[in-house]
Amino acid sequence: MSDCRKTNQVFALVDCNNFYASCEKLFRPDLRDTPVIVLSNNDGCVVARSKEAKALGIKMGVPVHLIKTDIRRHRIQVFSSNYTLYGDMSRRVMTNLEAMAPRVDIYSIDEAFLDLTGIDQVISFDAFGRQVKDTVYRNVGLPVCVGIAPTRTLAKLANYAAKKYLKTGGVVDLTDLARQRRLMARVPVDEVWGVGRKLSTKLQAMGITTALQLADTDLATLRKRFSVVLERTARELNGISCLSWEDAPAPKKQIMCSRSFGQPIRTLSDLEAAAAQYATRATEKLRKGQQYAGELMVFIRTNPFRPGVPQYSKSISVRLVNPTQNSRMIVQKTLSQLRSIYRAGYDYAKAGVMLSELVDETGLQEDLFESSCTGEEDAGRSYRLMAVIDEINQKSRASVFMARAAGPAAHTMRRGHLSPAYTTDWNDLPTVR
DNA sequence: TCTGGGGTCCTAGGACCC
DNA sequence: TCTGGGGTCCTAGGACCC
């Protein structure tokens, strides 16, 4: 725990309110006061809710088929997830944040940590938080909340308060110790960042029900009964920063691409089409991060939520002799692994491809373009081919792909409530009448 | 009829070595 | 009847996050 120190660091956590739902509302002013929900891939379960939908008691993660009656009765507007739109809106928010703070850690699609250390020499933390909030709203149109504190975990907590208590106006400065303790006394322990369902059950059994009680628990006990992770969380609640700034964003250790199918798949050839597509996508991500994969994993499975039907689930991993970022190679391997685990007679619901043992160029053995299967010249050519494919696909998503990924796409996602690509497609530009 | 898709980190336990 | 004491490395699985 040597990297945990009491410092004068200050973090702000900026988090968009009901991000996906807010993105949908932004382009539909007619829905201003209407409850809105956004669904996961395949229109499966609820992944975002507007404040009106939350007020109706719609729960996060609930399968949409369980709330059909609510949707009808309360005229809830339903949207399929539109990641093209959300990704574009996210970039706009982050660009604004980067213009306002010396250091920004993008933590997820809708939240980022800002380094506010020393900024109070110029402006109060609270006033700065309000500037951030107003700027993003003016320039992008999305509402955010800001939590400010000496550690990331406390900044998360401050953000929670900023969202929960309206009178804060969406900004909470939690740099004051007395204020930290007052808030923690009111916050249930399961709202603490890093405490999930399992941990909170165990903590409650020990009589620890609030964030403050967790902060005041003996550290050695926490380490012994749980792990260093929870010990670190407790330190962070006490203002000791254990999660600081990385010098460089850590390179990825694995890349996954998997999807549930829009409808069950039975045949090997339909599975092959899906797997080839996922392998292609995963390899694109690999090249984007300028990495090479040393291991490949393929899995297929039936739908575990239907216990009445025959179940089958299998994954297989294989080492790649030379780490590669070549789509052709990875698709080929994916297909041969898939064939070895496929069993006929099942309704498959999902497949996926994971690349791991990732290395960058410096981690490669010297025979960069010489593998056992391709001569140097051939490998150089396929490298250039990959670059060309990536360039084309960047302009027009998935125009060029491996032949095996074409054909009748039995696995295509269900997206029955998709909104237009307002910001990324000329044909979908919103018009003002 | 219908239940997402990514990721990270940590720990326990087995295999193996001396 | 007795049955070492460390190490390291790897993997599977659990917990968390959004």
Side-chain angles (χ1 to χ4, degrees):
Chain A
M1 215 60 44
S2 55
D3 53 338
C4 287
R5 275 172 301 135
K6 188 108 192 171
T7 62
N8 61 353
Q9 289 184 91
V10 177
F11 298 86
L13 176 64
V14 182
D15 191 319
C16 299
N17 304 351
N18 319 320
F19 182 56
Y20 299 166
S22 298
C23 288
E24 297 293 350
K25 281 202 177 201
L26 183 54
F27 295 93
R28 290 286 304 273
D30 57 305
L31 299 180
R32 188 189 319 246
D33 301 314
T34 309
V36 164
I37 58 176
V38 180
L39 307 183
S40 63
N41 283 345
N42 279 317
D43 294 342
C45 44
V46 176
V47 293
R49 309 151 293 159
S50 73
K51 64 174 191 297
E52 299 82 6
K54 287 179 185 172
L56 289 171
I58 306 296
K59 298 275 181 263
M60 183 70 171
V62 69
V64 68
H65 70 267
L66 295 180
I67 56 166
K68 280 278 191 263
T69 344
D70 290 318
I71 291 174
R72 212 167 324 121
R73 180 170 341 136
H74 302 293
R75 298 175 199 279
I76 298 174
Q77 281 287 321
V78 179
F79 290 93
S80 302
S81 39
N82 184 343
Y83 286 104
T84 312
L85 175 64
Y86 312 150
D88 188 58
M89 297 311 295
S90 174
R91 267 188 297 280
R92 297 177 191 209
V93 171
M94 300 308 170
T95 305
N96 275 271
L97 298 182
E98 276 159 357
M100 301 189 74
R103 190 150 53 171
V104 175
D105 248 14
I106 298 175
Y107 179 69
S108 75
I109 193 166
D110 74 331
E111 58 188 302
F113 288 100
L114 275 50
D115 185 359
L116 262 52
T117 308
I119 216 166
D120 55 327
Q121 303 291 313
V122 183
I123 179 175
S124 79
F125 290 126
D126 185 83
F128 182 79
R130 284 171 211 287
Q131 263 183 25
V132 168
K133 185 178 156 65
D134 295 344
T135 304
V136 173
Y137 191 72
R138 191 172 57 242
N139 294 349
V140 188
L142 292 173
V144 302
C145 283
V146 184
I148 299 162
T151 68
R152 292 188 184 223
T153 305
L154 284 170
K156 274 274 193 183
L157 214 66
N159 196 285
Y160 164 84
K163 284 210 164 69
K164 182 168 171 96
Y165 304 115
L166 285 182
K167 65 174 199 293
T168 63
V171 177
V172 168
D173 169 7
L174 206 59
T175 49
D176 175 68
L177 177 64
R179 210 167 175 215
Q180 290 165 18
R181 294 188 65 85
R182 228 179 305 136
L183 176 63
M184 285 196 287
R186 300 175 63 174
V187 175
V189 72
D190 57 301
E191 294 293 347
V192 174
W193 194 34
V195 178
R197 239 189 35 240
K198 291 285 170 67
L199 284 182
S200 84
T201 308
K202 220 172 143 184
L203 284 167
Q204 311 234 2
M206 293 168 63
I208 299 168
T209 60
T210 68
L212 187 60
Q213 287 174 308
L214 177 59
D216 288 342
T217 303
D218 172 59
L219 294 175
T221 305
L222 288 179
R223 180 186 278 230
K224 201 161 64 208
R225 303 275 289 265
F226 299 90
S227 76
V228 296
V229 183
L230 194 61
E231 182 192 357
R232 197 151 57 206
T233 297
R235 282 180 195 269
E236 285 248 333
L237 288 177
N238 281 295
I240 314 286
S241 187
C242 302
L243 309 164
S244 197
W245 302 93
E246 305 292 340
D247 294 328
K252 284 195 179 149
K253 296 181 175 170
Q254 48 180 243
I255 290 173
M256 167 94 109
C257 185
S258 80
R259 293 280 183 285
S260 298
F261 308 135
Q263 54 188 24
I265 285 183
R266 294 189 74 85
T267 67
L268 178 59
S269 85
D270 282 342
L271 278 181
E272 285 176 346
Q277 195 176 309
Y278 305 157
T280 307
R281 279 284 299 130
T283 317
E284 275 169 21
K285 293 188 205 173
L286 191 66
R287 288 196 294 267
K288 200 168 169 196
Q290 302 182 41
Q291 290 178 297
Y292 298 75
E295 190 173 271
L296 167 72
M297 190 269 275
V298 184
F299 75 87
I300 49 178
R301 70 164 164 80
T302 51
N303 186 349
F305 297 105
R306 301 188 56 202
V309 306
Q311 295 289 319
Y312 178 70
S313 168
K314 187 82 180 166
S315 76
I316 185 167
S317 297
V318 60
R319 295 261 169 188
L320 303 168
V321 184
N322 293 310
T324 180
Q325 54 170 209
N326 182 317
S327 296
R328 229 172 356 177
M329 176 84 69
I330 289 179
V331 168
Q332 218 175 67
K333 285 271 185 209
T334 298
L335 293 178
S336 65
Q337 297 306 306
L338 170 66
R339 286 174 201 127
S340 76
I341 57 174
Y342 172 79
R343 298 287 175 273
Y346 293 98
D347 278 334
Y348 290 98
K350 184 175 184 175
V353 172
M354 189 168 89
L355 304 176
S356 53
E357 300 295 309
L358 306 188
V359 294
D360 63 15
E361 235 151 344
T362 59
L364 285 183
Q365 303 300 324
E366 54 182 20
D367 52 339
L368 175 53
F369 292 133
E370 311 175 317
S371 75
S372 46
C373 349
T374 54
E376 190 168 353
E377 194 189 334
D378 188 30
R381 199 159 50 226
S382 81
Y383 177 80
R384 287 192 300 278
L385 174 65
M386 291 302 121
V388 171
I389 289 177
D390 285 344
E391 198 180 323
I392 295 172
N393 282 346
Q394 203 174 9
K395 286 177 191 147
S396 170
R397 183 105 212 92
S399 308
V400 179
F401 41 78
M402 301 288 141
R404 192 48 258 177
H411 58 279
T412 314
M413 269 194 276
R414 275 192 307 272
R415 292 210 283 186
H417 309 273
L418 188 60
S419 53
Y422 297 111
T423 61
T424 52
D425 187 333
W426 290 112
N427 299 319
D428 287 345
L429 271 184
T431 49
V432 179
R433 287 180 233 277

